Amino acid sequence: MSTVFALLLALQQTPGAVVWEAPPADVVEAVEVTEAPDLPAWALADPFGWERSQCSPLVRGDEPMDACQSRVRADLSLALGDRLPAGLRPADAPTPCQATPSADGSFPVECREPERRVASANTVQDQVCESRPRREGGAVAFVTECRPAGASSERQGLRFRLPIGD
């Protein structure tokens, strides 16, 4: 037992002998493409989905994520031009400029990020619907009446349902 302990002490390194290596810095090179790439129609319709599909670890392999995103975003920028969503715009892309009409009839050019508006949510109201028979002439027809949940009914008091027979 003492020989095993002595062997372990002999195998230990002296303090300060551990050398830490700095991880290699990932260098993302700017991708320069002059021709518009041939992208499928669905890539132009859903650019975010195209980026996710191309930069998936299963597709990109050993390529770093930053390099993949730079390459795909440059391709999308060339293919879509001004229609490229702001979230996919390359970092070095210029701010989009747009001529907007003013009250005096001129069209000043404004260069800024497009405004994002939150769509108004359609609130669904709970309803209470009741179907009941109604005699019209010699026939019986069913009528459905709906009202918002929580609203009081016009009818109040004691109600009885009577069977309607022929």
Side-chain angles (χ1 to χ4, degrees):
M1 181 77 159
S2 62
T3 55
V4 173
F5 183 69
L7 183 62
L8 287 176
L9 283 176
L11 291 176
Q12 284 186 347
Q13 295 180 359
T14 60
V18 176
V19 178
W20 295 98
E21 294 180 16
D26 292 334
V27 179
V28 178
E29 297 177 13
V31 179
E32 290 194 29
V33 180
T34 55
E35 296 180 14
D38 186 29
L39 299 177
W42 74 268
L44 302 178
D46 183 15
F48 290 101
W50 177 252
E51 182 190 35
R52 281 192 305 272
S53 70
Q54 296 302 303
C55 294
S56 166
L58 298 173
V59 175
R60 67 180 158 90
D62 293 335
E63 182 181 19
M65 179 66 124
D66 295 340
C68 178
Q69 286 180 331
S70 297
R71 177 180 51 80
V72 170
R73 289 177 181 185
D75 291 347
L76 287 170
S77 178
L78 285 173
L80 292 174
D82 292 341
R83 296 178 299 144
L84 183 69
L88 292 176
R89 194 171 304 123
D92 59 347
T95 305
C97 296
Q98 186 175 14
T100 54
S102 64
D104 63 355
S106 63
F107 286 84
V109 176
E110 295 180 7
C111 296
R112 59 183 165 83
E113 291 294 322
E115 294 179 11
R116 294 184 182 205
R117 296 184 182 134
V118 177
S120 63
N122 294 336
T123 57
V124 178
Q125 290 184 345
D126 290 333
Q127 292 186 345
V128 175
C129 296
E130 295 177 349
S131 295
R132 56 189 175 113
R134 178 179 289 169
R135 186 176 298 257
E136 295 178 0
V140 176
F142 283 90
V143 178
T144 303
E145 294 178 352
C146 296
R147 66 179 188 277
S152 63
S153 174
E154 298 93 32
R155 299 177 288 182
Q156 293 182 357
L158 185 61
R159 293 187 298 173
F160 292 98
R161 292 193 177 265
L162 300 174
I164 298 178
D166 289 325

